[in-house]
Amino acid sequence: AQTVTQSQPEMSVQEAETVTLSCTYDTSESDYYLFWYKQPPSRQMILVIRQEAYKQQNATENRFSVNFQKAAKSFSLKISDSQLGDAAMYFCAYRSARGGGATNKLIFGTGTLLAVQP
Amino acid sequence: EPEVTQTPSHQVTQMGQEVILRCVPISNHLYFYWYRQILGQKVEFLVSFYNNEISEKSEIFDDQFSVERPDGSNFTLKIRSTKLEDSAMYFCASSEMRGVGEKLFFGSGTQLSVL
């Protein structure tokens, strides 16, 4: 079974600085997707960024980028130029591509609570 | 951006009572999901629903749980006889397609407290 581990329960960053959130996962599959979701105080989970396992190039969305190390099963999120609005819980998630995406479920980590200091 | 709406935001119930959690997915979405998060634990998949039937469910989703899309807009999760361990935040989600990289849109959750 696949598992996702986020070893940092809490992180803090100064406004305008860069922070990296860690995520490791375990799977025997070769094709899958990885995601980072943000959960602000409003509680609604919002997709931040996604990475296809077969792509070597790291995904980037504006100030958010990932460092995807497939052999190491590592998927960290880097937030550059941190803003107060980035303060939230961040969840790493895995989704199998087995069966062409027939399985719908996301497997989540336990989350990292990010605080942004002004 | 369109949103998934969940009601109520908080629900308190007595153990053994039935509860129905309601969700209005995004209107052109075809795939619907329930997840839950027990306080301090991981967000866990419960069930996915497509074309008026369950397409996948987890081992958590036992006979006490059921889902329904009663009127083409709402998507409900019913817990027949609640237990203390059902206390959790329940998230509804929807997606337009089923592809493995498909973006899921989540609601803000219903906090269920079973006393």
Side-chain angles (χ1 to χ4, degrees), chain B residues 6 8 12-14 16 23 31 33 44 55 57 63 72 91 94-95 111 115:
Chain B
Q6 288 187 245
V12 180
T13 190
Q14 295 289 325
C23 170
Y31 297 87
Y33 314 85
E44 301 172 293
S55 48
K57 62 182 181 180
D63 292 343
F91 292 101
S94 69
S95 65
Q111 179 66 56
L115 306 179

Side-chain angles (χ1 to χ4, degrees), chain A residues 3-4 32-33 35 37 39 42-45 47 50 91 95-97 99-106 108-110, chain B residues 3-4 9-10 31 33 35 37 42-43 45 48 55-56 89 91 98-104 106-109 111:
Chain A
T3 58
V4 176
Y32 47 86
Y33 263 76
F35 305 83
Y37 276 87
Q39 186 183 40
S42 66
R43 306 186 308 183
Q44 184 180 34
M45 282 202 286
L47 179 65
R50 57 189 150 181
F91 291 98
R95 192 177 196 184
S96 171
T103 179
N104 294 281
K105 67 179 181 183
L106 290 167
F108 285 90
T110 49
Chain B
E3 290 189 347
V4 174
S9 57
H10 291 87
Y31 297 87
Y33 314 85
Y35 285 78
Q37 184 181 26
K42 296 184 179 188
V43 177
F45 169 78
S48 60
S55 48
E56 187 175 3
M89 179 75 81
F91 292 101
R98 194 184 66 177
V100 66
E102 189 65 22
K103 178 178 178 178
L104 265 62
F106 283 84
S108 298
Q111 179 66 56

Side-chain angles (χ1 to χ4, degrees), chain B:
Chain B
E1 192 170 58
E3 290 189 347
V4 174
T5 305
Q6 288 187 245
T7 55
S9 57
H10 291 87
Q11 174 119 25
V12 180
T13 190
Q14 295 289 325
M15 190 170 59
Q17 295 296 304
E18 175 184 285
V19 294
I20 297 176
L21 308 183
R22 302 180 192 280
C23 170
V24 179
I26 294 170
S27 61
N28 64 330
H29 285 188
L30 301 175
Y31 297 87
F32 314 110
Y33 314 85
W34 285 101
Y35 285 78
R36 78 172 186 189
Q37 184 181 26
I38 296 172
L39 185 64
Q41 297 186 25
K42 296 184 179 188
V43 177
E44 301 172 293
F45 169 78
L46 292 178
V47 66
S48 60
F49 190 86
Y50 168 69
N51 199 26
N52 282 319
E53 60 182 28
I54 291 172
S55 48
E56 187 175 3
K57 62 182 181 180
S58 72
E59 53 277 5
I60 302 168
F61 195 89
D62 62 21
D63 292 343
Q64 292 297 316
F65 291 88
S66 62
V67 289
E68 193 178 33
R69 188 156 162 81
D71 56 12
S73 61
N74 289 283
F75 178 52
T76 61
L77 174 68
K78 182 193 290 187
I79 309 174
R80 266 181 265 284
S81 177
T82 50
K83 309 185 199 65
L84 295 176
E85 55 264 36
D86 293 328
S87 295
M89 179 75 81
Y90 288 81
F91 292 101
C92 174
S94 69
S95 65
E96 190 175 359
M97 304 292 286
R98 194 184 66 177
V100 66
E102 189 65 22
K103 178 178 178 178
L104 265 62
F105 290 79
F106 283 84
S108 298
T110 293
Q111 179 66 56
L112 176 65
S113 298
V114 182
L115 306 179

